[in-house]
Amino acid sequence: MTLLINPTTTNTTTTTHGRHPHKAWWKSAAVYQIYPSSFADTNGDGIGDLPGIIAKLDYLHKLNVDVVWLSPIYRSPQKDMGYDISDYRDVDPRYGKMRDLDALLEGLHNRGMRLVMDLVVNHTSDEHPWFQESKQDLTNPKADWYIWRPPRYISGVRCAPNNWESVFSGPAWTYVPARGQYYLHLFLPGQPDLNWEVPAVREAVYDVMRFWLDKGVDGFRMDVINLISKVQSFPDAPGEGLQSGMDYCANGPRLHEFLREMRRCAVEGYDVLTVGEMPCVTDEWEVLKAVGRERGELDMVFQFDIVSVDWGSGSKFEHRQFQPKVLAEVVNRWQTFMIENDGWNTLFDENHDQPRTVSRFVDRKYTDSDYETRAKVAKLLATFLVCQSGTVYVYQGQELGMRNCPKEWPIAEYKDIETINYWNKVLEERGGGDADMSDVMAQIQLKARDNGRTPMQWNDTAHGGFTTGTPWMRVNDDYTCWNAALQTDDPNSAYSYWARMLTFRREFCDIVVYGGFEMLTGGEGGVIAYRRKGYVGGSEKTAAIVVVLNFEPRSVGWKLEEGRFAKKVVPDVLLGTYGTTVFVEQGMLILRPFEAVVLDACV
């Protein structure tokens, strides 16, 4: 027989497991990432802008966001959506003026919120004055500010200094006749890499950072920061043809020296957040070198184990089926390691470079057209993320459960240079013309960065209320029935659940943010369950919660004894995606499709 339980939510506030860790405002903060081009447009040019962000601050405040992180808004030719910066000290006119940024800062600070800016200093735009000077000749004062190398000649033919491939395909070197040399660009030719070996370069970067901190900015997200130190011999990578050079660039020989110097010269004395993006690194000890509390480098980093759980062996466009067991293994490894070694995690599964999780971490056939199921999945994933130890990052639209681009969209609707280059590369390999590209399209529909860049869906008016003009990128076709206006006042919506989760995180900060972590069920049968335990309010009293997540589209059972709930028939439900009503049968918690529950546990 099934028992129907309607427990009363408890209000116990709890803290960490085994010790009282160092606390900081950025550890308990919820950070909301805004991709400015796609957030809100006020002047009708089809591109989001700073006044649009200002107009939505109350929306973010109601969501219980503490920090807003802006993807780049600096002057840029936009070859890589602003990650190619031509002026670090000015706002790109497409987004507004410096006074708009000042107004945004004031609006956030007045609401008790903070602003984090993107810092892109592995490379600049090729239109930046520094590069324009550097490329002139070998005698220019900035001649060594970028990474230049002479050509090599093979059978009398001029060739690049090595066989490295750009992240966006093609050679990672471009020849400049005026210098008779090649410059390195790990990304686009329009994104030349700065030479961090030169002290004047580093000081110029630190001066930029101090400029923004003195304006009141509350920290930086540092783009591909672990690529700033390269192996100076620039050897060929093993293999025929073009090969990735990341083994010689990611976490290079002087990285930690540079990061310590950056904190000492640019950040010390400011109470700010520093988070570095660190691709191509999976070793926990290597990451700890950057985020260990006594290291004096970064507060935390983005590493990509979670967002690559469904990557194949070759690249992200080679898909492998998502498995909860693989996800649980990644979570258990990083949660346990950072807690035991006094490091700090970032908690994220979406950003401007990632597809939407409701279309990715479950089969999208369940979420594309069944809106009730999509809301359940969005809530499940919110519970999964927010209840871990680390700083939470929410990407715009994630709080609504926005989905990937519709399958019906042709390749012409995709705008990202990475997507376009990949498509063209494979098309050329297949002979062009009418080659069958259906398998490539299927991977793009799953993994392309474009999936996270469709404009925000504010309401059911034209273009989802994002703009009165023609949007720079098409708005997802489901905006008429899936938008913020429908969700903000609906207590059962994904948005309202995210708001409750972030409130819960504040109220249970000592255990959810600072508590210990124990994996109870590692994805078996589609269930992930973990236990968090910590001290109460700085005392020696402890309390615990158990988080149980069903990633299956069907009901499954989970043994309550796994959670150690003493003799209770069922523990109190603190939060649940189906409300606080749960089903129990013969010692089993019966989890409904895509259900998540947070349970009050015994210590």
Side-chain angles (χ1 to χ4, degrees), residues 125-299:
S125 165
D126 61 351
E127 296 182 20
H128 195 290
W130 297 347
F131 186 74
Q132 291 297 307
E133 289 188 51
S134 186
K135 74 176 186 177
Q136 289 177 9
D137 56 54
L138 298 175
T139 63
N140 190 280
K142 291 185 173 60
D144 60 352
W145 277 41
Y146 293 81
I147 298 172
W148 297 92
R149 290 295 182 273
R152 57 180 176 174
Y153 290 87
I154 301 175
S155 300
V157 177
R158 189 192 75 227
C159 299
N162 62 32
N163 67 345
W164 292 1
E165 182 177 28
S166 158
V167 170
F168 295 145
S169 76
W173 299 89
T174 291
Y175 186 68
V176 175
R179 287 189 53 135
Q181 291 182 314
Y182 287 82
Y183 69 87
L184 177 68
H185 50 88
L186 293 180
F187 296 90
L188 293 174
Q191 294 171 295
D193 281 48
L194 284 164
N195 184 4
W196 274 70
E197 299 291 323
V198 176
V201 169
R202 303 200 300 274
E203 179 52 35
V205 169
Y206 305 154
D207 194 48
V208 166
M209 295 172 70
R210 292 189 293 263
F211 169 82
W212 289 106
L213 293 174
D214 288 341
K215 281 186 72 69
V217 168
D218 301 292
F220 297 103
R221 176 266 185 187
M222 302 176 183
D223 188 64
V224 294
I225 197 64
N226 66 319
L227 305 185
I228 59 177
S229 172
K230 282 84 169 172
V231 172
Q232 292 300 294
S233 60
F234 295 94
D236 274 334
E240 298 295 323
L242 293 176
Q243 300 290 330
S244 170
M246 287 301 170
D247 284 348
Y248 309 100
C249 301
N251 288 51
R254 298 186 69 187
L255 172 66
H256 299 291
E257 173 193 345
F258 293 157
L259 291 179
R260 285 192 293 272
E261 181 183 84
M262 177 188 289
R263 178 166 287 276
R264 186 173 65 252
C265 295
V267 179
E268 199 168 278
Y270 299 92
D271 183 20
V272 296
L273 177 158
T274 59
V275 52
E277 182 190 36
M278 292 182 64
C280 305
V281 179
T282 59
D283 181 80
E284 302 97 321
W285 291 102
E286 189 62 41
V287 171
L288 188 65
K289 291 178 185 177
V291 303
R293 189 163 74 87
E294 303 300 327
R295 294 282 298 178
E297 298 185 19
L298 301 172
D299 296 325

Side-chain angles (χ1 to χ4, degrees), residues 13-16 20 23 510-511 534-542:
T13 303
T14 53
T15 77
T16 97
H20 299 283
K23 296 184 179 181
D510 288 339
I511 185 169
Y535 290 105
V536 178
S539 71
E540 296 304 314
K541 296 180 180 179
T542 56

Side-chain angles (χ1 to χ4, degrees), residues 88-107:
Y88 286 107
R89 296 171 185 260
D90 199 8
V91 173
D92 194 288
R94 67 175 51 204
Y95 300 126
K97 300 181 181 298
M98 186 65 81
R99 65 172 178 263
D100 297 314
L101 184 63
D102 293 336
L104 174 61
L105 266 169
E106 182 179 7

